[in-house]
């Protein structure tokens, strides 16, 4: 009997060409009032990690617009969708609610991990309502990260080592 490979050897390295997308939720960036700094930073890091990723999709805050942005990203074939912004407690922060309309299952442990790791940098991480979930059909992961560039890039760094295994699982990979 052969030993099962561990997660580090079973999953492809990094993004291995997997299509990813970034959706920035920001009223000010969507209106042109200020440039989106966080979306491009996430795109750069995803590309460095081996993911195929186009420019960030910028949408206004709000449940319908964010859900539409996530669906547009999935329509491009993205197996990983990272959202940034709209995870706080402000009146237009509706990214988690939008994400719940798209996903099939939540992965609460990943959201908890993001908050715990984020709290090492700032206690404000506890205010994030961001979720992580999966879409069964295409086998995609959607993760909500904060709107700040630092918080979002630190959150992505937390997720990157886990994503190959999660993506493998979604296509029937062994445990």
């Amino acid at each position: 009997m052969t030993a099962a490979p561990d997660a580090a050897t079973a999953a492809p390295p990094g993004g291995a060409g997997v299509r990813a997308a970034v959706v920035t939720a920001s009223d000010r960036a969507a209106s042109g009032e200020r440039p989106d700094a966080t979306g491009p930073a996430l795109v750069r890091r995803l590309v460095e990690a081996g993911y195929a990723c186009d420019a960030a999709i910028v949408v206004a805050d709000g449940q319908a617009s964010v859900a539409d942005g996530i669906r547009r990203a999935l329509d491009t074939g993205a197996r990983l969708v990272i959202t940034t912004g709209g995870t706080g407690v402000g009146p237009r922060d509706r990214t988690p609610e939008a994400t719940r309309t798209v996903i099939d299952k939540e992965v609460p442990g990943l959201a908890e991990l993001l908050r715990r790791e984020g709290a090492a940098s700032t206690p404000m991480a506890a205010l994030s309502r961001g979720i992580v979930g999966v879409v069964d059909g295409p086998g995609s992961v959607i993760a909500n990260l904060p709107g700040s560039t630092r918080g979002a890039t630190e959150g992505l760094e937390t997720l990157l080592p886990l994503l190959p295994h999660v993506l493998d699982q979604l296509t029937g990979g062994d445990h």
Side-chain angles (χ1 to χ4, degrees):
M1 180 166 158
T2 18
D6 64 22
T9 58
V18 170
R19 175 150 290 290
V22 174
V23 177
T24 299
S26 168
D27 285 336
R28 289 185 285 175
S31 72
E33 185 181 323
R34 77 162 194 212
D36 173 23
T38 306
L42 293 172
V43 168
R44 275 191 303 278
R45 183 62 187 108
L46 286 165
V47 170
E48 288 170 3
Y51 290 87
C53 191
D54 297 328
I57 298 167
V58 179
V59 299
D61 285 304
Q63 186 169 331
S65 55
V66 174
D68 179 61
I70 293 169
R71 286 186 185 99
R72 285 182 10 219
L74 292 170
D75 287 346
T76 70
R79 294 202 52 229
L80 171 62
V81 179
I82 301 293
T83 70
T84 177
T87 62
V89 297
R92 294 202 24 90
D93 290 338
R94 306 294 294 171
T95 298
E97 290 78 9
T99 302
R100 283 189 182 98
T101 69
V102 178
I103 62 172
D104 293 308
K105 300 182 270 241
E106 283 192 46
V107 185
L110 289 178
E112 292 162 9
L113 176 66
L114 288 167
R115 277 185 278 282
R116 185 177 68 240
E117 293 296 314
S121 293
T122 175
M124 299 302 170
L127 296 176
S128 173
R129 299 179 313 106
I131 67 169
V132 178
V134 297
V135 179
D136 291 332
S140 299
V141 177
I142 302 170
N144 302 156
L145 298 179
S148 77
T149 302
R150 179 178 167 192
T153 55
E154 287 178 357
L156 182 57
E157 291 303 325
T158 297
L159 289 175
L160 282 174
L162 302 168
L163 290 171
H165 182 69
V166 175
L167 291 167
D168 183 55
Q169 291 293 293
L170 286 170
T171 57
D174 197 6
H175 295 278

